[in-house]
Amino acid sequence: MANLVETVDLKKYFKVGKGRYLHAVDGVNLEISEGKTLGVVGESGCGKSTLGRLVMGLLPATSGQINFEGQDIVTCSRGEFKKVRQKIQMIFQDPYSSLNPRMSIYELIAEPLIVNKVYHDKADILKRVYELMDTVGLAERYINSYPHELDGGRRQRIGVARALALNPKFIVCDEPVSALDVSIQAQILNLLMDMQRDLGLTYMFITHNLAVVKHISDTIMVMYLGQCVESAPADELFANPKHPYTQALLDSILKPVLGTNKDRKLIRGEVTSPINPAVGCRFAKRCEHCRPECMEREINLVDLGGDHKVACTMCGG
Amino acid sequence: MEDGKILLEVKDLEVVYQTDESTVHAVNHIDFSLKERETIGLVGETGAGKTTTALTIMRLLPERTGRILDGSVLFRGENLLDKSEAEMRHVRGADISIIFQDPMTALNPAITVGNQVLESLEIHNVEKKSKQELEKRVDALFNLVGIPAERKKEYPHQFSGGMKQRIVIAIALACQPALLIADEPTTALDVTIQAQVLKLMENLKEELGTSMIMITHDLGVVAETCDKVAVMYAGEIVEYGTTEDIFTGEAHHPYTTGLFNAIPNLDEKAERLHPIDGLMPDPTNLPEGCKFSPRCPYCTEECRSRTPYRYEKNGHRIFCNRFEKEG
């Protein structure tokens, strides 16, 4: 199957002072085939949101390529980008701050339609808004309500409706359920999966919640300090994690089952600084298997077969 | 479970927030007790009344709106609700402390972390210790929570989230309180750091013999840390029992079952999740009868009209009409 989205050696550095660069995303290669979901996991500061924003075109990349349907959106002209942009949408994390409190539900959902001049007739816009509200499960009576009148779950449904308004092919979901309660979280996850089935959407699903990512993803990419350390099909990653960081991450999940995980390995220390990082494996300082080799050179992502890729010297990286 | 003395007993507590327009029924007649060295988990979603319960025990409800209508909070046999504000100041920090959810906002950004730990020691300095002795204690506390004592001269922004939460824990434990209330202590932290902080709290609890109230919405945290669990919904405890009762027991309140079904299972592949239908009821206008009845798949006419029966078996309490006949 053709890849809908792929990135080649994508980099984003933020300048934070004289000669000091924060390597937020550092050489990420990813591929997402049409109709599939790529889960991106990692801790705060690992660059997963920056990666989402780069792919959305919300941030200019420092170097590298982002190919959408074979077209590079880093170098294309503004006019071309505007056309592509309608096919890429985003669902944001916090449904409390990502919606303008002074706009009604109708205005919020109609906004992308008006900005992109999709319809010329107001009646058509209204029809489309009702249609979208129906798709995401918002009752018609809310059309003139304001965000503060609704609870978190319904607000996130508005965010989803806005993302769907222009019939996108690809949606970047940046922690869409982390601000919601568990029972509501399940409603939104079901909605996202139903929409993928019915509309053939492709997702990039950014989250720190490992249970959620396993549930929704086809492939999972684990990020650490701007780099992809491991990527594999979801079941394979959970059954057979290779990178020490992935192992530790999976080990620190608290399962809601009694007496399963009292003796877990804890990773030492905390995430090191992403500003001008030293050569070598970025996890080395916290890794119990660290060898001199790990600090001497950049570690490559090695394909172990079956789409399982790891960047670790123990696996020949 | 070994038989300890009862440290805290909350009886028939009812708390409302009174505003000009409406009355928010935040906590409705809850009962629970906590023995020494025990940890109880208060579990529930946003608006279940978990934090209000904690604030009531600490007597920190917002002065203008929070009202305690009924009930008592017995700490070592004394009712905290009868104490004066001056007396309460000696209880807070010294006998009962609280860890708040967000370490980023719980610390004062303009005071060094060392002085913030020192502050609670100075306020509760009953033995009139000298400044040097107190400073020594601060160093010991920093070592206890795994931060090098030299860093006590730094300000909160120089620490990461996990480190800040460790400092908050150091402040809470400074006077060796008998009871520690942890209000979502790890929700704002990353998973690997969460595991570190929980491990730290577990070790300190063993070492110092502190009892704990763990407020959380994460059933994983509960399985890891708690001896007893109270599942809260709309200001009521709907199910109460030992952790074993809640996680492996046979009978459950439909809400507890719903909560477990709503989380994605790591060990099984399911096509769809099973969310609980509907939404939390409006706390200004709670339904009559069982508060969960509008969302409950087993709801009957009886559930809507009267308060649910209390089913009890070996201390495992469930407030639901389904079990009345069996019990």
Side-chain angles (χ1 to χ4, degrees), chain A residues 43-44 181 194 262 270, chain B residues 46 160 190 192 224 266 272:
Chain A
E43 296 177 85
S44 42
D181 272 320
D194 290 347
K262 286 290 177 191
E270 305 197 8
Chain B
T46 319
S160 67
D190 279 318
T192 59
E224 188 82 357
L266 278 165
R272 286 178 68 83

Side-chain angles (χ1 to χ4, degrees), chain B residues 16-25 62-67 282-284:
Chain B
V16 297
Y17 292 109
Q18 183 81 51
T19 62
D20 289 346
E21 290 105 39
S22 55
T23 310
V24 177
H25 297 272
E63 230 169 86
R64 301 182 60 157
T65 51
R67 301 252 188 295
D282 178 0
T284 60

Side-chain angles (χ1 to χ4, degrees), chain A residues 104-106 130 133 137-146 149-151 154 158, chain B residues 279:
Chain A
S104 69
I105 307 308
Y106 168 77
Y130 274 130
M133 286 176 71
L138 277 170
E140 283 188 9
R141 66 189 137 98
Y142 291 117
I143 195 155
N144 289 319
S145 312
Y146 285 84
E149 297 173 67
L150 305 181
D151 62 278
R154 291 216 176 89
I158 302 172
Chain B
L279 301 163

Side-chain angles (χ1 to χ4, degrees), chain A residues 222-241:
Chain A
V222 182
M223 283 185 77
Y224 190 77
L225 281 178
Q227 293 176 331
C228 167
V229 293
E230 185 161 4
S231 121
D235 294 329
E236 165 74 8
L237 187 91
F238 274 81
N240 203 3

Side-chain angles (χ1 to χ4, degrees), chain B residues 245-264:
Chain B
D245 287 336
I246 305 288
F247 281 81
T248 52
E250 283 156 19
H252 290 298
H253 192 277
Y255 177 64
T256 316
T257 317
L259 266 187
F260 274 99
N261 288 342
I263 8 180

Side-chain angles (χ1 to χ4, degrees), chain A residues 99 103-119 121-130 132-133 143 158 161-166:
Chain A
L99 299 174
M103 284 165 94
S104 69
I105 307 308
Y106 168 77
E107 289 171 303
L108 284 164
I109 301 179
E111 196 182 19
L113 301 169
I114 295 167
V115 170
N116 286 285
K117 303 192 180 69
V118 182
Y119 300 109
D121 193 341
K122 275 205 174 150
D124 285 342
I125 296 181
L126 187 67
K127 200 171 137 234
R128 178 72 180 142
V129 170
Y130 274 130
L132 286 163
M133 286 176 71
I143 195 155
I158 302 172
R162 273 164 68 88
L164 284 181
L166 299 169

Side-chain angles (χ1 to χ4, degrees), chain A residues 37-41 91-93 135-137 152-157 160 164 171-198 201 203-218, chain B residues 259-266 269-276:
Chain A
T37 303
L38 171 77
V40 179
V41 276
I91 299 171
F92 293 93
Q93 172 171 9
T135 313
V136 300
R154 291 216 176 89
R155 265 184 264 195
Q156 195 56 298
R157 284 171 197 267
V160 176
L164 284 181
I171 299 184
V172 177
C173 310
D174 189 358
E175 307 254 13
V177 294
S178 10
L180 306 175
D181 272 320
V182 272
S183 68
I184 309 298
Q185 196 174 331
Q187 292 175 6
I188 298 291
L189 288 175
N190 278 346
L191 172 68
L192 290 173
M193 291 181 88
D194 290 347
M195 287 183 341
Q196 180 165 46
R197 191 190 56 213
D198 299 341
L201 295 169
Y203 291 136
M204 177 166 150
F205 199 94
I206 299 168
T207 182
H208 64 271
N209 187 328
L210 291 149
V212 167
V213 88
K214 172 153 195 253
H215 180 74
I216 202 163
S217 311
D218 297 299
Chain B
L259 266 187
F260 274 99
N261 288 342
I263 8 180
N265 191 327
L266 278 165
K269 188 86 187 162
E271 271 312 301
R272 286 178 68 83
L273 298 172
H274 303 283
I276 306 173

